[in-house]
Short mmCIF file of all heavy atoms in Angstrom, two decimals:
data_model
loop_
_atom_site.label_atom_id
_atom_site.label_comp_id
_atom_site.label_asym_id
_atom_site.label_seq_id
_atom_site.Cartn_x
_atom_site.Cartn_y
_atom_site.Cartn_z
N CYS A 1112 -24.69 -134.77 -106.61
CA CYS A 1112 -24.13 -136.04 -107.09
C CYS A 1112 -23.20 -135.73 -108.27
O CYS A 1112 -23.67 -135.58 -109.40
CB CYS A 1112 -25.24 -136.99 -107.53
SG CYS A 1112 -26.37 -137.42 -106.21
N ARG A 1113 -21.93 -135.66 -107.98
CA ARG A 1113 -20.97 -135.32 -109.03
C ARG A 1113 -20.39 -136.58 -109.66
O ARG A 1113 -19.18 -136.79 -109.70
CB ARG A 1113 -19.87 -134.42 -108.46
CG ARG A 1113 -20.38 -133.05 -108.06
CD ARG A 1113 -19.29 -132.13 -107.57
NE ARG A 1113 -18.61 -132.62 -106.39
CZ ARG A 1113 -19.08 -132.53 -105.15
NH1 ARG A 1113 -20.28 -131.98 -104.95
NH2 ARG A 1113 -18.38 -132.97 -104.14
N ILE A 1114 -21.28 -137.43 -110.15
CA ILE A 1114 -20.90 -138.64 -110.86
C ILE A 1114 -21.64 -138.63 -112.19
O ILE A 1114 -22.85 -138.41 -112.24
CB ILE A 1114 -21.27 -139.91 -110.06
CG1 ILE A 1114 -20.47 -139.96 -108.74
CG2 ILE A 1114 -21.00 -141.17 -110.87
CD1 ILE A 1114 -20.83 -141.12 -107.84
N GLU A 1115 -20.92 -138.88 -113.26
CA GLU A 1115 -21.53 -138.84 -114.59
C GLU A 1115 -22.71 -139.79 -114.66
O GLU A 1115 -22.61 -140.96 -114.32
CB GLU A 1115 -20.49 -139.21 -115.65
CG GLU A 1115 -20.99 -139.01 -117.07
CD GLU A 1115 -19.91 -139.27 -118.11
OE1 GLU A 1115 -18.75 -139.52 -117.71
OE2 GLU A 1115 -20.24 -139.24 -119.30
N GLY A 1116 -23.85 -139.27 -115.08
CA GLY A 1116 -25.06 -140.07 -115.19
C GLY A 1116 -25.99 -139.94 -114.00
O GLY A 1116 -27.16 -140.31 -114.07
N LEU A 1117 -25.48 -139.41 -112.89
CA LEU A 1117 -26.31 -139.27 -111.68
C LEU A 1117 -26.62 -137.82 -111.34
O LEU A 1117 -27.22 -137.54 -110.30
CB LEU A 1117 -25.61 -139.93 -110.48
CG LEU A 1117 -25.45 -141.44 -110.51
CD1 LEU A 1117 -24.77 -141.93 -109.23
CD2 LEU A 1117 -26.79 -142.15 -110.70
N GLU A 1118 -26.23 -136.91 -112.20
CA GLU A 1118 -26.43 -135.49 -111.90
C GLU A 1118 -27.91 -135.16 -111.64
O GLU A 1118 -28.23 -134.35 -110.78
CB GLU A 1118 -25.93 -134.62 -113.05
CG GLU A 1118 -24.43 -134.74 -113.32
CD GLU A 1118 -24.08 -135.82 -114.33
OE1 GLU A 1118 -24.97 -136.66 -114.63
OE2 GLU A 1118 -22.95 -135.84 -114.81
N ARG A 1119 -28.81 -135.80 -112.38
CA ARG A 1119 -30.24 -135.55 -112.23
C ARG A 1119 -30.79 -136.07 -110.90
O ARG A 1119 -31.92 -135.76 -110.51
CB ARG A 1119 -31.02 -136.18 -113.37
CG ARG A 1119 -30.79 -135.52 -114.74
CD ARG A 1119 -31.52 -136.28 -115.82
NE ARG A 1119 -32.97 -136.25 -115.62
CZ ARG A 1119 -33.81 -137.10 -116.21
NH1 ARG A 1119 -33.35 -138.04 -117.03
NH2 ARG A 1119 -35.10 -137.02 -115.99
N LYS A 1120 -29.99 -136.88 -110.23
CA LYS A 1120 -30.45 -137.47 -108.97
C LYS A 1120 -29.92 -136.73 -107.75
O LYS A 1120 -29.99 -137.24 -106.63
CB LYS A 1120 -30.04 -138.95 -108.91
CG LYS A 1120 -30.77 -139.81 -109.92
CD LYS A 1120 -30.49 -141.28 -109.67
CE LYS A 1120 -31.27 -142.14 -110.64
NZ LYS A 1120 -31.07 -143.57 -110.36
N SER A 1121 -29.38 -135.54 -107.96
CA SER A 1121 -28.96 -134.73 -106.82
C SER A 1121 -30.20 -134.37 -105.99
O SER A 1121 -31.14 -133.78 -106.50
CB SER A 1121 -28.26 -133.45 -107.29
OG SER A 1121 -27.04 -133.75 -107.93
N PRO A 1122 -30.21 -134.72 -104.70
CA PRO A 1122 -31.42 -134.51 -103.89
C PRO A 1122 -31.69 -133.04 -103.60
O PRO A 1122 -30.81 -132.18 -103.74
CB PRO A 1122 -31.09 -135.25 -102.58
CG PRO A 1122 -29.87 -136.06 -102.85
CD PRO A 1122 -29.13 -135.36 -103.95
N ALA A 1123 -32.92 -132.78 -103.18
CA ALA A 1123 -33.25 -131.45 -102.65
C ALA A 1123 -32.42 -131.22 -101.39
O ALA A 1123 -31.95 -132.16 -100.76
CB ALA A 1123 -34.74 -131.37 -102.33
N VAL A 1124 -32.22 -129.96 -101.04
CA VAL A 1124 -31.40 -129.61 -99.86
C VAL A 1124 -32.25 -128.86 -98.84
O VAL A 1124 -32.97 -127.92 -99.19
CB VAL A 1124 -30.19 -128.74 -100.26
CG1 VAL A 1124 -29.42 -128.29 -99.02
CG2 VAL A 1124 -29.26 -129.52 -101.18
N ILE A 1125 -32.16 -129.31 -97.61
CA ILE A 1125 -32.85 -128.64 -96.50
C ILE A 1125 -31.80 -128.13 -95.54
O ILE A 1125 -30.95 -128.90 -95.07
CB ILE A 1125 -33.83 -129.60 -95.77
CG1 ILE A 1125 -35.07 -129.84 -96.63
CG2 ILE A 1125 -34.28 -129.00 -94.44
CD1 ILE A 1125 -34.91 -130.79 -97.75
N ILE A 1126 -31.84 -126.84 -95.25
CA ILE A 1126 -30.85 -126.21 -94.36
C ILE A 1126 -31.53 -125.84 -93.05
O ILE A 1126 -32.47 -125.04 -93.03
CB ILE A 1126 -30.25 -124.95 -95.02
CG1 ILE A 1126 -29.61 -125.31 -96.37
CG2 ILE A 1126 -29.21 -124.32 -94.08
CD1 ILE A 1126 -29.22 -124.09 -97.21
N ILE A 1127 -31.08 -126.46 -91.97
CA ILE A 1127 -31.59 -126.12 -90.64
C ILE A 1127 -30.84 -124.87 -90.17
O ILE A 1127 -29.63 -124.89 -89.97
CB ILE A 1127 -31.39 -127.27 -89.64
CG1 ILE A 1127 -32.04 -128.56 -90.16
CG2 ILE A 1127 -31.94 -126.90 -88.27
CD1 ILE A 1127 -33.54 -128.49 -90.30
N ASP A 1128 -31.58 -123.78 -90.01
CA ASP A 1128 -30.95 -122.48 -89.74
C ASP A 1128 -31.85 -121.68 -88.79
O ASP A 1128 -32.47 -120.69 -89.18
CB ASP A 1128 -30.75 -121.74 -91.06
CG ASP A 1128 -29.97 -120.45 -90.90
OD1 ASP A 1128 -29.34 -120.26 -89.84
OD2 ASP A 1128 -30.00 -119.63 -91.84
N ARG A 1129 -31.91 -122.10 -87.55
CA ARG A 1129 -32.89 -121.54 -86.60
C ARG A 1129 -32.72 -120.03 -86.39
O ARG A 1129 -33.68 -119.30 -86.20
CB ARG A 1129 -32.80 -122.28 -85.27
CG ARG A 1129 -33.08 -123.77 -85.44
CD ARG A 1129 -33.28 -124.52 -84.15
NE ARG A 1129 -33.37 -125.95 -84.42
CZ ARG A 1129 -34.43 -126.56 -84.90
NH1 ARG A 1129 -35.51 -125.86 -85.17
NH2 ARG A 1129 -34.43 -127.86 -85.13
N LEU A 1130 -31.48 -119.55 -86.45
CA LEU A 1130 -31.21 -118.12 -86.23
C LEU A 1130 -31.00 -117.35 -87.53
O LEU A 1130 -30.61 -116.17 -87.50
CB LEU A 1130 -29.99 -117.96 -85.31
CG LEU A 1130 -30.12 -118.59 -83.92
CD1 LEU A 1130 -28.83 -118.41 -83.13
CD2 LEU A 1130 -31.31 -118.01 -83.17
N PHE A 1131 -31.24 -118.00 -88.66
CA PHE A 1131 -31.15 -117.39 -89.99
C PHE A 1131 -29.75 -116.79 -90.22
O PHE A 1131 -29.61 -115.63 -90.61
CB PHE A 1131 -32.21 -116.33 -90.18
CG PHE A 1131 -32.83 -116.33 -91.55
CD1 PHE A 1131 -34.08 -115.78 -91.77
CD2 PHE A 1131 -32.16 -116.88 -92.65
CE1 PHE A 1131 -34.67 -115.77 -93.04
CE2 PHE A 1131 -32.72 -116.89 -93.91
CZ PHE A 1131 -33.98 -116.33 -94.10
N LYS A 1132 -28.73 -117.61 -90.04
CA LYS A 1132 -27.36 -117.15 -90.19
C LYS A 1132 -26.72 -117.59 -91.51
O LYS A 1132 -25.53 -117.36 -91.73
CB LYS A 1132 -26.51 -117.66 -89.02
CG LYS A 1132 -26.84 -117.00 -87.69
CD LYS A 1132 -25.85 -117.41 -86.61
CE LYS A 1132 -26.09 -116.65 -85.32
NZ LYS A 1132 -25.10 -117.01 -84.27
N ILE A 1133 -27.48 -118.20 -92.38
CA ILE A 1133 -26.91 -118.69 -93.64
C ILE A 1133 -26.38 -117.52 -94.48
O ILE A 1133 -27.02 -116.47 -94.58
CB ILE A 1133 -27.95 -119.51 -94.44
CG1 ILE A 1133 -27.29 -120.28 -95.58
CG2 ILE A 1133 -29.09 -118.63 -94.92
CD1 ILE A 1133 -26.48 -121.44 -95.16
N LYS A 1134 -25.21 -117.71 -95.05
CA LYS A 1134 -24.64 -116.68 -95.93
C LYS A 1134 -25.34 -116.70 -97.28
O LYS A 1134 -25.93 -117.70 -97.68
CB LYS A 1134 -23.14 -116.92 -96.11
CG LYS A 1134 -22.33 -116.81 -94.83
CD LYS A 1134 -20.87 -117.17 -95.08
CE LYS A 1134 -20.06 -117.11 -93.80
NZ LYS A 1134 -18.64 -117.53 -94.01
N ARG A 1135 -25.26 -115.62 -98.00
CA ARG A 1135 -25.99 -115.51 -99.26
C ARG A 1135 -25.20 -116.05 -100.45
O ARG A 1135 -25.75 -116.75 -101.29
CB ARG A 1135 -26.38 -114.05 -99.51
CG ARG A 1135 -27.23 -113.47 -98.41
CD ARG A 1135 -27.66 -112.05 -98.71
NE ARG A 1135 -28.33 -111.45 -97.55
CZ ARG A 1135 -29.02 -110.33 -97.60
NH1 ARG A 1135 -29.14 -109.67 -98.74
NH2 ARG A 1135 -29.60 -109.85 -96.52
N LYS A 1136 -23.95 -115.71 -100.54
CA LYS A 1136 -23.15 -116.06 -101.73
C LYS A 1136 -22.43 -117.39 -101.51
O LYS A 1136 -21.23 -117.44 -101.25
CB LYS A 1136 -22.14 -114.95 -102.03
CG LYS A 1136 -22.75 -113.57 -102.21
CD LYS A 1136 -23.67 -113.51 -103.42
CE LYS A 1136 -24.23 -112.11 -103.63
NZ LYS A 1136 -25.14 -112.03 -104.79
N LEU A 1137 -23.17 -118.48 -101.60
CA LEU A 1137 -22.60 -119.81 -101.41
C LEU A 1137 -22.80 -120.65 -102.66
O LEU A 1137 -23.74 -120.44 -103.44
CB LEU A 1137 -23.26 -120.50 -100.21
CG LEU A 1137 -23.02 -119.86 -98.83
CD1 LEU A 1137 -23.92 -120.49 -97.78
CD2 LEU A 1137 -21.56 -120.00 -98.43
N LYS A 1138 -21.94 -121.65 -102.85
CA LYS A 1138 -22.00 -122.50 -104.04
C LYS A 1138 -23.35 -123.20 -104.17
O LYS A 1138 -23.86 -123.38 -105.28
CB LYS A 1138 -20.89 -123.57 -103.97
CG LYS A 1138 -19.48 -123.04 -104.09
CD LYS A 1138 -18.50 -124.21 -103.94
CE LYS A 1138 -17.06 -123.71 -103.95
NZ LYS A 1138 -16.11 -124.84 -103.72
N ILE A 1139 -23.89 -123.60 -103.04
CA ILE A 1139 -25.10 -124.42 -103.07
C ILE A 1139 -26.29 -123.70 -103.72
O ILE A 1139 -27.19 -124.33 -104.28
CB ILE A 1139 -25.46 -124.88 -101.63
CG1 ILE A 1139 -26.28 -126.16 -101.68
CG2 ILE A 1139 -26.13 -123.78 -100.82
CD1 ILE A 1139 -26.29 -126.91 -100.38
N PHE A 1140 -26.29 -122.37 -103.69
CA PHE A 1140 -27.40 -121.60 -104.25
C PHE A 1140 -27.24 -121.34 -105.75
O PHE A 1140 -28.13 -120.76 -106.37
CB PHE A 1140 -27.54 -120.27 -103.51
CG PHE A 1140 -27.84 -120.41 -102.05
CD1 PHE A 1140 -27.07 -119.78 -101.09
CD2 PHE A 1140 -28.91 -121.20 -101.62
CE1 PHE A 1140 -27.34 -119.91 -99.74
CE2 PHE A 1140 -29.19 -121.35 -100.27
CZ PHE A 1140 -28.41 -120.70 -99.33
N LYS A 1141 -26.13 -121.78 -106.32
CA LYS A 1141 -25.91 -121.56 -107.75
C LYS A 1141 -26.61 -122.59 -108.63
O LYS A 1141 -26.85 -122.36 -109.82
CB LYS A 1141 -24.40 -121.56 -108.04
CG LYS A 1141 -23.67 -120.37 -107.43
CD LYS A 1141 -22.17 -120.42 -107.72
CE LYS A 1141 -21.47 -119.23 -107.10
NZ LYS A 1141 -20.00 -119.26 -107.35
N ASN A 1142 -26.93 -123.73 -108.05
CA ASN A 1142 -27.61 -124.79 -108.80
C ASN A 1142 -29.11 -124.53 -108.79
O ASN A 1142 -29.78 -124.67 -107.76
CB ASN A 1142 -27.30 -126.16 -108.18
CG ASN A 1142 -27.84 -127.32 -109.02
OD1 ASN A 1142 -28.74 -127.15 -109.83
ND2 ASN A 1142 -27.29 -128.49 -108.81
N LYS A 1143 -29.66 -124.15 -109.95
CA LYS A 1143 -31.08 -123.79 -110.03
C LYS A 1143 -31.98 -124.97 -110.38
O LYS A 1143 -33.20 -124.82 -110.50
CB LYS A 1143 -31.27 -122.70 -111.08
CG LYS A 1143 -30.42 -121.45 -110.87
CD LYS A 1143 -30.76 -120.73 -109.58
CE LYS A 1143 -29.94 -119.46 -109.41
NZ LYS A 1143 -30.22 -118.79 -108.13
N SER A 1144 -31.40 -126.16 -110.52
CA SER A 1144 -32.18 -127.30 -111.01
C SER A 1144 -32.80 -128.14 -109.90
O SER A 1144 -33.48 -129.11 -110.17
CB SER A 1144 -31.29 -128.20 -111.88
OG SER A 1144 -30.23 -128.74 -111.10
N ARG A 1145 -32.56 -127.78 -108.64
CA ARG A 1145 -33.15 -128.57 -107.56
C ARG A 1145 -33.71 -127.65 -106.48
O ARG A 1145 -33.36 -126.48 -106.39
CB ARG A 1145 -32.13 -129.53 -106.97
CG ARG A 1145 -30.88 -128.85 -106.43
CD ARG A 1145 -29.92 -129.88 -105.88
NE ARG A 1145 -28.67 -129.27 -105.51
CZ ARG A 1145 -27.84 -129.78 -104.61
NH1 ARG A 1145 -28.15 -130.90 -104.01
NH2 ARG A 1145 -26.71 -129.18 -104.34
N LYS A 1146 -34.57 -128.21 -105.65
CA LYS A 1146 -35.23 -127.43 -104.61
C LYS A 1146 -34.32 -127.26 -103.39
O LYS A 1146 -33.63 -128.19 -102.99
CB LYS A 1146 -36.52 -128.13 -104.19
CG LYS A 1146 -37.57 -128.20 -105.28
CD LYS A 1146 -38.81 -128.93 -104.79
CE LYS A 1146 -39.86 -128.99 -105.90
NZ LYS A 1146 -41.06 -129.75 -105.45
N ILE A 1147 -34.34 -126.05 -102.83
CA ILE A 1147 -33.61 -125.77 -101.60
C ILE A 1147 -34.57 -125.10 -100.62
O ILE A 1147 -35.30 -124.18 -100.99
CB ILE A 1147 -32.39 -124.86 -101.86
CG1 ILE A 1147 -31.41 -125.55 -102.84
CG2 ILE A 1147 -31.68 -124.54 -100.55
CD1 ILE A 1147 -30.20 -124.70 -103.19
N PHE A 1148 -34.58 -125.60 -99.39
CA PHE A 1148 -35.43 -125.04 -98.35
C PHE A 1148 -34.56 -124.60 -97.18
O PHE A 1148 -33.61 -125.30 -96.80
CB PHE A 1148 -36.42 -126.09 -97.83
CG PHE A 1148 -37.36 -126.63 -98.88
CD1 PHE A 1148 -36.96 -127.67 -99.72
CD2 PHE A 1148 -38.64 -126.13 -99.02
CE1 PHE A 1148 -37.82 -128.19 -100.68
CE2 PHE A 1148 -39.51 -126.64 -99.97
CZ PHE A 1148 -39.09 -127.67 -100.81
N ILE A 1149 -34.90 -123.47 -96.59
CA ILE A 1149 -34.26 -123.02 -95.35
C ILE A 1149 -35.32 -123.07 -94.25
O ILE A 1149 -36.37 -122.43 -94.36
CB ILE A 1149 -33.70 -121.59 -95.48
CG1 ILE A 1149 -32.61 -121.54 -96.56
CG2 ILE A 1149 -33.13 -121.12 -94.13
CD1 ILE A 1149 -32.15 -120.13 -96.89
N PHE A 1150 -35.08 -123.86 -93.21
CA PHE A 1150 -35.99 -123.95 -92.07
C PHE A 1150 -35.43 -123.06 -90.95
O PHE A 1150 -34.33 -123.29 -90.47
CB PHE A 1150 -36.08 -125.39 -91.56
CG PHE A 1150 -36.92 -126.29 -92.43
CD1 PHE A 1150 -37.38 -125.88 -93.66
CD2 PHE A 1150 -37.25 -127.56 -92.00
CE1 PHE A 1150 -38.15 -126.71 -94.46
CE2 PHE A 1150 -38.02 -128.41 -92.79
CZ PHE A 1150 -38.47 -127.98 -94.02
N THR A 1151 -36.19 -122.06 -90.56
CA THR A 1151 -35.70 -121.12 -89.56
C THR A 1151 -36.79 -120.79 -88.54
O THR A 1151 -37.98 -121.04 -88.78
CB THR A 1151 -35.20 -119.82 -90.23
OG1 THR A 1151 -34.61 -118.98 -89.26
CG2 THR A 1151 -36.35 -119.08 -90.92
N GLN A 1152 -36.37 -120.24 -87.41
CA GLN A 1152 -37.30 -119.76 -86.39
C GLN A 1152 -37.18 -118.24 -86.19
O GLN A 1152 -37.73 -117.68 -85.25
CB GLN A 1152 -37.02 -120.47 -85.05
CG GLN A 1152 -37.32 -121.96 -85.08
CD GLN A 1152 -36.93 -122.66 -83.79
OE1 GLN A 1152 -36.02 -122.23 -83.10
NE2 GLN A 1152 -37.62 -123.74 -83.48
N THR A 1153 -36.43 -117.60 -87.09
CA THR A 1153 -36.12 -116.18 -86.93
C THR A 1153 -36.64 -115.37 -88.11
O THR A 1153 -36.49 -115.77 -89.27
CB THR A 1153 -34.59 -116.00 -86.83
OG1 THR A 1153 -34.11 -116.78 -85.73
CG2 THR A 1153 -34.22 -114.54 -86.61
N LYS A 1154 -37.23 -114.22 -87.84
CA LYS A 1154 -37.71 -113.32 -88.90
C LYS A 1154 -36.58 -112.44 -89.40
O LYS A 1154 -35.81 -111.89 -88.62
CB LYS A 1154 -38.84 -112.44 -88.37
CG LYS A 1154 -40.14 -113.17 -88.11
CD LYS A 1154 -41.22 -112.19 -87.67
CE LYS A 1154 -42.55 -112.90 -87.43
NZ LYS A 1154 -43.61 -111.96 -86.99
N ASN A 1155 -36.51 -112.33 -90.70
CA ASN A 1155 -35.55 -111.42 -91.33
C ASN A 1155 -36.08 -111.14 -92.73
O ASN A 1155 -35.80 -111.86 -93.68
CB ASN A 1155 -34.16 -112.04 -91.39
CG ASN A 1155 -33.10 -111.07 -91.90
OD1 ASN A 1155 -33.38 -110.24 -92.77
ND2 ASN A 1155 -31.90 -111.17 -91.36
#
């Protein structure tokens, strides 16, 4: 939520990634103030 006063209300992020193809160096992982989950069906 990039609106002044609503930053604290940025929701948790759930990434559906069945084959575990998510890249590592992405903007979304730089924000340490909220929960991020990756849902996958693949071992790595």
